[in-house]
Amino acid sequence: MDNDNRRASRRTEVLSNHLLPRPHTTTAHLSPSNCLSYAPPELSSSNPVSFDTYVMRSLLDGHNLDDRDWLFGLIVQSPLFNRQERGGRVFVSVDYNHTMEQQREETMRRIGYLLDRGVFRGWLTGDGPQEELRKLALHEVISMYDHSLAVKIGVHIFLWGGAVKFLGTKRHHDKWLRATENYELKGCFAMTELGHGSNVRGVETVTTYDSRSGEFVINTPCESAQKYWIGGAANHATHTIVFSQLYINGGNQGVHAFICPIRDSSGNVCPNIRIAECGHKIGLNGVDNGRIWFDNVRIPRENLLNSVADVSPRGEYLSSIKNVDQRFAAFLAPLTSGRVTIASSAVYISKIGLSIAIRYALTRRAFSMTPNGPEVLLLDYPSHQQRLLPLLAKIYAMSFAGLELKMLYVNRTPESNKAIHIVSSAYKATFTWNNMRTLQECREACGGQGVKSENRIGPFKGEFDVHSTFEGDNNVLMQQISKALLGEYIVCQTKKKPFRGLGLEHMNNPAPVLPSQLTSSILRSSEFQLDLFHLRERDLLGRFAAEVSQYQAQGESKESAFNLSYQVAEDLGRAFSERAILKTFIEVESKVPAGSLKDVLGLLRSLYALISVDEDAAFLRYGYLSTENAAAVRKEVLKLCTELRPHALALVSSFGIPDAFLSPIAFDWVGSNAWPSAQH
Amino acid sequence: MAFNPKPDDDQVLVEKKSCARVIILNRTRQLNALSFYMVSRLLEIFLEDEGNPDIMLVIMKGNGRAFCAGGDVSAVVRDVKGGDWRLGAKFFENEFKLNYLMATYSKPQVSILNGIVMGGGAGASIHGRFRVATEKTVFAMPETELGLFPDVGSTYFLSRLPGFFGEYVGLTGARLDGAEMLTCGLATHFVPSSKLSLLEESLYKVESNDATTVSAIIDKYSEQPSLKENSVYHRMDAINRCFSRNTVEEILYYLEMEAMNNKADNWASTTIQTLKKASPTSLKVFLKLIRKARLQGIGQCLITDYRVVCHVLQGHYSKDFFEGCRAILMDKDRKPKWEPSRLELVNDRHVDCYFAKLDDEGWKDLELPERLNNLPPYVTSKL
């Protein structure tokens, strides 16, 4: 009876517990002390900070730190940027539940806010390195918030505005530059066609001149000539730059650029223009990519961007540059700035990925070494170190190299244009490929948490994938480097003059001799590392030249000889980029006063050099290293990772990325996933 | 307790009610302005109490019509004029250490802000866990008008206010009432002053240092005040439009646009007048400070504040602080002669000087009291 009573009352309790929602309290036998709790990595003695992270950040960012922080602040403080509070901390990122159309409207609203705050001031009307650096810095910050926002702005200002500025003359500047900066119109850039992308010279759009009316007539002669992927065209743009073949009196003068209105101020598509959507994409859905067809569209003669060539009212073709190749190269100038910004934004995105993955690896534990022992922090596993820390070293190296490229770009002269073209091609390809690899590794290193959109790394993979093909396909760019290097090589050989520029001066010296036994201290010396990289570049350049000339001797054309030698060309492109990056790193390091910061940089530089060697089969394939020495390099990588492990936190803190940009798993992921935060 | 007849002794009254430490600022004639003695005494109390298991929470209040009107800067100026700016720096050193301790304290601090809360008074309360405002509260950071800048780590909490309200409050020294403090987050609760004694009685009975328990007690006496119709908080859009700008000059420019577009309303023009009265150097230094602070932890903010304040006291780059104190606190002519006198004469390099380490023998950066595993200040921002 007593027993029955007890059972009955227990049953009643269970039922009432189900029926009456109770305030969620932890019961005594579920004491929170058994739960995993989050400990900020800053509090752990295994993450000492041995150098001033702000000084390190100054080395990495290199310029306009205050402007960057101002813009970070503008973004974090505005409700337009989708602030979310998680675990008592504010995070910003786009709303991942938005449809494509909503994303596009959000992007425009954000542009309006930034415009209103003076962010774009001087982006086109300003001149000189200081103005350009400010613009680059702010654009980098924008891309760290949202790639769509950065690209939408980049198309309008760098591509449309840049084309008007670099390809146009005073009459265009007066009319369009300030108006563009103030968004009185919205520009886009119609270069790519369905049938032609990287090969711009092949575009099929046709423009003729009608001397009776003084107008150009633009036509899309066939479906493959439709303009494709035109960012801004689908919804918002009012004007475009059209790249088109220009025919004068039946003769083709090559590709030229024209300004053409495509919508009126109320957003209606202009007569004789047809516009369609490109559809949903793997990323960048906040950018309205569209397709454009031109049906006998008439534009005034003055709309030809005429810095390179002009057409007189009577229809005569006038150009100061007689060589068609050179004329074409001049038309592509606006794309260089695109490659510079893409290269550096790829580095900043990798920094976000690494900051998140490394902070998570410093707080997340998995598996115990001993029964009942504490679980081990992810970053204390040598395997996890070797997944993330070499990527960290690469990002340090690429930061410095990207900064040097920016400096080269903003201080450009006619003489440095060729070097900028080559270096920007090399870095754009190298950094964007590296970014994709880094993001994938970081996503995996965060386990399931990496799959959540709010933790940013996953969506970044889709968002930034396009980097590897836009503004020049990476593979094409890498082949261009080898071609350009070969050009230098042939000139120096035939004219018997020494190499100058592009860092090729080492070719004038005798080939470096490497020690046969590689000790740890040799492997870590910058002289040895540079010798090894020089040896590879020099040998590959020689091989490439020999192979191309051998094919030519067999009767192949020059073009076909290049194509047949693409394997060596690929190796050479990589050798050039990695050597240039290493050299910059060594220069940065040499300017830092002795101390803990310099020591850490030394570890990073060695890890960068040795992981690059470890990952490139060319060192073994062509015998620059013996198998024993290649094994020694690999062992040293592991040792360097162990030595860098205590600095990992300080090294990602030095990126200077505000917490709000780093996503919940970079901080208290227990708190941000706790029940109360699910109640909002 | 020994009866040491020190004249300063009664400036801070210390009581213990059950588990609560009650600290009363008691220098009513000076509106409880913090003297060197008070700052040092508070520091001592907070350090002692942290290890005392009998004490669960700290209640801070002021006697008279102020909670605390700030640091006693006229005394500091007297010290510096006496020939040694280091003596003045010592005051700020202790004050900032106290601020840091409060910001990282392991026991909840409840500050009852029933009256004036300005400058150093904000530093002694806002960093603590709970700030109770009343209908009598008047809050302001008026330092720019004195040729100083809002210090006491205030850039930390001001930069975290909604939008660019912090820039507005710090640059203009705008007065806020209790309702506004609650709305923007400077206060955590609003309790009518008539209920304060009941609130205190309940707090004395608390037997745990758990913040949610304490919060629940204050909640019982709290009310939701409504903002006055002419509250500046209704102008948040205009504030964001103007105070989000990158430089003080641009802020003024956009305020002027605001004034032109909205002639019926004199908020923008009054704000312009206020900014024009303040020291140009102070405005620029503060704007840079608050922009940096957005990304910094409280420790780093205080270290930077200390550097800047030492430069101000040393007076190599500008003597505006002494001039401001002369005009506002001593001669009371309210006509300070700032040097440089106009914003455009204060260039970026001039501002940057205030952020560099001092080149003065034996001078050191502020050393924060050891907390949390002796964290280096440059990492605290991520905590």
Side-chain angles (χ1 to χ4, degrees):
Chain A
M1 182 66 196
D2 215 28
N3 208 7
D4 273 1
N5 261 341
R6 225 178 7 240
R7 212 180 301 157
S9 74
R10 164 126 182 82
R11 184 78 194 130
T12 331
E13 195 187 306
V14 169
L15 280 173
S16 63
N17 276 345
H18 278 294
L19 294 173
L20 303 169
R22 297 197 169 186
H24 195 84
T25 48
T26 28
T27 40
H29 58 273
L30 261 175
S31 106
S33 62
N34 293 339
C35 263
L36 288 175
S37 64
Y38 169 85
E42 283 83 0
L43 295 188
S44 160
S45 57
S46 44
N47 302 312
V49 180
S50 62
F51 56 88
D52 189 329
T53 49
Y54 192 77
V55 175
M56 188 67 105
R57 183 185 166 201
S58 316
L59 286 179
L60 289 167
D61 280 343
H63 60 97
N64 299 81
L65 273 69
D66 288 350
D67 291 320
R68 290 170 198 268
D69 292 347
W70 167 67
L71 184 50
F72 278 134
L74 281 183
I75 291 173
V76 175
Q77 306 262 330
S78 162
L80 280 177
F81 292 82
N82 191 33
R83 291 158 61 99
Q84 302 276 328
E85 198 170 319
R86 301 290 311 275
R89 206 173 263 281
V90 168
F91 295 99
V92 289
S93 69
V94 294
D95 189 329
Y96 296 108
N97 291 315
H98 274 174
T99 63
M100 184 171 87
E101 290 306 326
Q102 285 171 316
Q103 289 182 53
R104 292 176 179 181
E105 293 317 309
E106 285 293 306
T107 304
M108 278 318 291
R109 270 197 282 279
R110 287 170 186 142
I111 290 177
Y113 169 83
L114 297 176
L115 172 69
D116 215 32
R117 298 300 182 282
V119 172
F120 310 131
R121 199 202 61 233
W123 281 30
L124 284 168
T125 55
D127 266 315
Q130 292 314 317
E131 288 283 347
E132 288 210 72
L133 286 173
R134 174 179 179 272
K135 170 176 74 182
L136 292 172
L138 296 181
H139 192 253
E140 283 156 10
V141 169
I142 292 171
S143 77
M144 289 161 87
Y145 173 71
D146 174 32
H147 194 209
S148 287
L149 183 58
V151 167
K152 182 96 181 169
I153 294 167
V155 168
H156 174 72
I157 301 217
F158 298 149
L159 293 181
W160 152 270
V164 171
K165 188 165 176 169
F166 296 120
L167 306 182
T169 49
K170 187 164 184 306
R171 65 178 185 231
H172 306 109
H173 298 168
D174 292 347
K175 187 164 176 192
W176 304 105
L177 289 187
R178 188 164 300 279
T180 299
E181 210 173 276
N182 295 333
Y183 272 87
E184 288 159 28
L185 60 109
K186 299 180 195 89
C188 63
F189 188 79
M191 181 181 256
T192 299
E193 295 176 357
L194 176 60
H196 290 86
S198 289
N199 179 16
V200 183
R201 291 182 80 165
V203 297
E204 296 170 285
T205 303
V206 173
T207 299
T208 51
Y209 182 67
D210 179 351
S211 55
R212 284 166 309 173
S213 62
E215 288 171 321
F216 287 108
V217 185
I218 309 175
N219 258 298
T220 303
C222 53
E223 283 301 351
S224 62
Q226 63 180 275
K227 291 294 177 184
Y228 213 99
W229 293 130
I230 310 311
N235 296 121
H236 299 125
T238 58
H239 292 73
T240 190
I241 306 281
V242 191
F243 281 82
S244 159
Q245 305 289 349
L246 173 62
Y247 283 86
I248 296 290
N249 300 325
N252 185 357
Q253 301 294 343
V255 177
H256 288 68
F258 304 86
I259 290 178
C260 178
I262 55 172
R263 280 193 180 82
D264 64 22
S265 50
S266 350
N268 306 309
V269 175
C270 294
N272 297 13
I273 301 263
R274 284 173 289 150
I275 291 181
E277 168 66 50
C278 283
H280 195 271
K281 305 178 293 269
I282 59 170
L284 279 179
N285 283 303
V287 178
D288 50 325
N289 291 94
R291 303 181 278 150
I292 312 176
W293 291 258
F294 300 88
D295 307 320
N296 282 316
V297 178
R298 288 181 164 266
I299 52 166
R301 189 184 63 90
E302 291 75 23
N303 282 19
L304 169 66
L305 294 175
N306 59 341
S307 73
V308 176
D310 208 351
V311 173
S312 75
R314 286 168 47 207
E316 297 146 323
Y317 185 78
L318 315 158
S319 175
S320 52
I321 307 178
K322 291 282 173 267
N323 183 320
V324 185
D325 287 341
Q326 284 174 8
R327 208 153 66 204
F328 176 71
F331 276 120
L332 295 187
L335 289 183
T336 311
S337 92
R339 280 197 291 272
V340 175
T341 51
I342 291 170
S344 65
S345 93
V347 171
Y348 278 96
I349 296 309
S350 297
K351 284 180 180 172
I352 296 185
L354 284 166
S355 300
I356 294 173
I358 288 179
R359 292 185 62 88
Y360 186 60
L362 288 169
T363 59
R364 170 73 193 218
R365 295 170 183 273
F367 302 107
S368 318
M369 293 288 113
T370 53
N372 297 324
E375 290 184 284
V376 178
L377 272 182
L378 296 187
L379 204 61
D380 286 333
Y381 286 100
S383 58
H384 211 76
Q385 291 170 10
Q386 204 178 326
R387 285 167 65 190
L388 295 179
L389 300 183
L391 294 172
L392 183 63
K394 285 185 187 177
I395 275 311
Y396 264 78
M398 291 175 190
S399 263
F400 297 138
L403 182 59
E404 197 194 29
L405 169 62
K406 279 193 275 178
M407 293 304 169
L408 196 63
Y409 175 71
V410 301
N411 295 305
R412 61 190 172 275
T413 60
E415 294 73 47
S416 66
N417 272 342
K418 189 162 92 183
I420 294 173
H421 172 73
I422 295 172
V423 177
S424 69
S425 302
Y427 286 178
K428 185 261 177 182
T430 310
F431 296 1
T432 58
W433 271 331
N434 178 70
N435 185 34
M436 290 311 294
R437 234 198 96 190
T438 304
L439 290 174
Q440 182 63 26
E441 198 63 68
C442 291
R443 164 8 230 144
E444 291 177 30
C446 293
Q449 289 295 331
V451 177
K452 286 182 66 156
S453 297
E454 69 170 20
N455 292 327
R456 305 200 78 192
I457 299 173
F460 278 171
K461 291 198 300 166
E463 283 294 326
F464 290 92
D465 192 321
V466 68
H467 267 176
S468 30
T469 49
F470 75 13
E471 314 250 347
D473 175 282
N474 279 0
N475 283 295
V476 174
L477 293 178
M478 286 306 256
Q479 286 177 26
Q480 283 184 10
I481 301 161
S482 303
K483 265 190 205 173
L485 294 179
L486 182 61
E488 291 289 307
Y489 185 82
I490 292 171
V491 169
C492 293
Q493 294 290 309
T494 49
K495 294 194 178 157
K496 302 259 179 257
K497 64 173 202 182
F499 285 89
R500 263 193 65 212
L502 295 172
L504 292 174
E505 290 82 357
H506 67 92
M507 303 282 297
N508 302 323
N509 306 331
V513 180
L514 301 178
S516 53
Q517 281 282 319
L518 298 180
T519 62
S520 189
S521 65
I522 293 175
L523 284 167
R524 291 180 187 209
S525 91
S526 54
E527 292 79 20
F528 164 75
Q529 292 158 5
L530 206 52
D531 276 352
L532 184 55
F533 280 47
H534 282 161
L535 183 65
R536 171 177 58 163
E537 186 179 22
R538 150 190 218 114
D539 179 74
L540 285 171
L541 184 47
R543 266 172 209 273
F544 184 51
E547 205 170 305
V548 169
S549 76
Q550 198 183 349
Y551 279 120
Q552 282 179 299
Q554 289 165 8
E556 298 285 349
S557 70
K558 193 170 150 199
E559 293 308 318
S560 130
F562 275 136
N563 288 342
L564 290 166
S565 317
Y566 83 94
Q567 283 186 324
V568 191
E570 196 185 320
D571 287 343
L572 174 60
R574 176 177 186 163
F576 169 81
S577 312
E578 290 181 351
R579 187 267 304 150
I581 296 169
L582 177 66
K583 202 144 180 267
T584 311
F585 201 144
I586 294 172
E587 279 157 21
V588 170
E589 198 187 332
S590 70
K591 288 182 194 130
V592 173
S596 51
L597 196 145
K598 194 186 184 92
D599 297 343
V600 174
L601 282 178
L603 293 176
L604 287 166
R605 186 250 309 142
S606 287
L607 184 50
Y608 168 73
L610 297 186
I611 194 70
S612 306
V613 173
D614 188 46
E615 286 175 353
D616 186 3
F619 290 96
L620 283 171
R621 186 185 299 135
Y622 303 114
Y624 312 138
L625 286 177
S626 66
T627 48
E628 293 78 20
N629 283 341
V633 166
R634 195 167 170 76
K635 277 268 175 282
E636 199 64 24
V637 165
L638 201 65
K639 274 163 72 185
L640 284 162
C641 286
T642 318
E643 286 173 49
L644 273 169
R645 156 68 182 86
H647 303 292
L649 180 64
L651 287 170
V652 295
S653 300
S654 302
F655 292 153
I657 303 166
D659 301 1
F661 285 70
L662 291 185
S663 87
I665 41 163
F667 298 93
D668 182 356
W669 41 268
V670 179
S672 60
N673 282 290
W675 181 250
S677 45
Q679 303 303 91
H680 298 308
Chain B
M1 202 196 265
F3 283 97
N4 194 354
K6 268 207 284 182
D8 294 340
D9 226 17
D10 60 353
Q11 291 182 357
V12 179
L13 306 177
V14 186
E15 298 169 5
K16 183 162 178 292
K17 306 269 181 161
S18 315
C19 294
R21 168 69 73 215
V22 182
I23 302 174
I24 306 166
L25 304 177
N26 185 40
R27 200 179 173 222
T28 45
R29 273 211 295 173
Q30 286 88 354
L31 297 172
N32 299 329
L34 298 171
S35 62
F36 185 75
Y37 167 80
M38 290 164 84
V39 166
S40 315
R41 179 77 184 112
L42 287 170
L43 190 58
E44 211 172 87
I45 301 167
F46 271 85
L47 280 171
E48 266 173 31
D49 282 353
E50 186 150 53
N52 182 347
D54 292 345
I55 293 196
M56 297 296 174
L57 97 155
V58 184
I59 299 175
M60 260 191 78
K61 54 182 187 172
N63 270 343
R65 59 191 186 93
F67 170 80
C68 168
D72 189 352
V73 284
S74 13
V76 171
V77 169
R78 265 198 309 279
D79 285 345
V80 177
K81 290 216 162 142
D84 189 3
W85 67 268
R86 295 293 191 97
L87 221 54
K90 189 71 195 161
F91 169 82
F92 288 102
E93 185 186 332
N94 280 358
E95 187 183 24
F96 294 178
K97 281 182 177 169
L98 174 68
N99 298 141
Y100 185 65
L101 210 54
M102 287 173 161
T104 56
Y105 212 55
S106 56
K107 301 174 185 188
Q109 172 187 347
V110 181
S111 305
I112 297 180
L113 309 175
N114 190 29
I116 298 167
V117 189
M118 292 189 184
S125 53
I126 310 295
H127 292 301
R129 184 67 185 79
F130 299 108
R131 292 88 62 185
V132 179
T134 75
E135 75 286 355
K136 293 185 185 162
T137 311
V138 182
F139 172 96
M141 298 303 287
E143 286 89 345
T144 56
E145 162 192 43
L146 271 182
L148 190 60
F149 63 94
D151 57 344
V152 292
S154 63
T155 51
Y156 180 79
F157 56 75
L158 290 177
S159 66
R160 282 151 179 86
L161 297 186
F164 295 82
F165 199 57
E167 272 88 344
Y168 168 70
V169 168
L171 288 171
T172 63
R175 307 299 193 251
L176 304 180
D177 64 18
E180 288 164 336
M181 284 184 78
L182 184 72
T183 316
C184 73
L186 282 168
T188 56
H189 296 82
F190 183 94
V191 175
S193 58
S194 55
K195 292 192 190 165
L196 284 178
S197 46
L198 289 173
L199 166 66
E200 283 180 49
E201 290 296 328
S202 306
L203 285 173
Y204 298 157
K205 295 189 193 113
V206 76
E207 282 172 354
S208 107
N209 62 8
D210 174 43
T212 39
T213 320
V214 177
S215 180
I217 295 174
I218 314 178
D219 282 343
K220 274 194 281 181
Y221 301 91
S222 296
E223 285 181 7
Q224 186 60 47
S226 47
L227 288 171
K228 286 186 310 238
E229 207 174 306
N230 63 349
S231 165
V232 69
Y233 208 79
H234 298 311
R235 300 177 200 276
M236 212 46 190
D237 281 348
I239 289 177
N240 284 338
R241 257 195 310 278
C242 302
F243 285 85
S244 56
R245 304 293 157 182
N246 215 356
T247 61
V248 181
E249 288 91 333
E250 284 175 88
I251 292 175
L252 275 165
Y253 172 77
Y254 281 91
L255 280 167
E256 270 156 24
M257 304 278 278
E258 206 70 37
M260 263 183 3
N261 296 336
N262 200 350
K263 291 209 173 79
D265 173 16
N266 61 1
W267 170 78
S269 48
T270 346
T271 307
I272 295 169
Q273 289 316 311
T274 316
L275 288 175
K276 290 205 165 148
K277 270 189 215 148
S279 147
T281 310
S282 296
L283 293 177
K284 289 205 168 181
V285 167
F286 174 72
L287 188 64
K288 186 170 167 108
L289 273 169
I290 190 170
R291 291 283 153 82
K292 278 172 93 85
R294 282 169 194 273
L295 308 178
Q296 290 176 336
I298 177 63
Q300 187 64 50
C301 287
L302 285 164
I303 289 177
T304 317
D305 281 358
Y306 183 70
R307 270 197 201 180
V308 179
V309 94
C310 286
H311 280 292
V312 168
L313 295 174
Q314 196 188 27
H316 279 180
Y317 305 117
S318 155
K319 303 203 184 324
D320 278 2
F321 175 46
F322 307 107
E323 173 60 14
C325 287
R326 181 203 63 73
I328 309 286
L329 303 175
M330 295 164 191
D331 299 352
K332 303 206 171 143
D333 60 20
R334 307 196 73 87
K335 289 207 174 72
K337 290 191 175 49
W338 304 126
E339 185 56 50
S341 58
R342 290 199 316 269
L343 283 167
E344 55 271 29
L345 301 176
V346 187
N347 61 31
D348 286 352
R349 215 169 320 134
H350 188 96
V351 173
D352 288 341
C353 292
Y354 284 85
F355 291 78
K357 287 193 176 189
L358 267 78
D359 186 16
D360 196 278
E361 200 175 326
W363 181 89
K364 277 200 304 231
D365 266 330
L366 179 67
E367 280 171 17
L368 297 168
E370 218 173 283
R371 316 284 298 158
L372 297 170
N373 212 7
N374 203 14
L375 226 46
Y378 33 86
V379 299
T380 50
S381 66
K382 298 285 172 187
L383 283 176

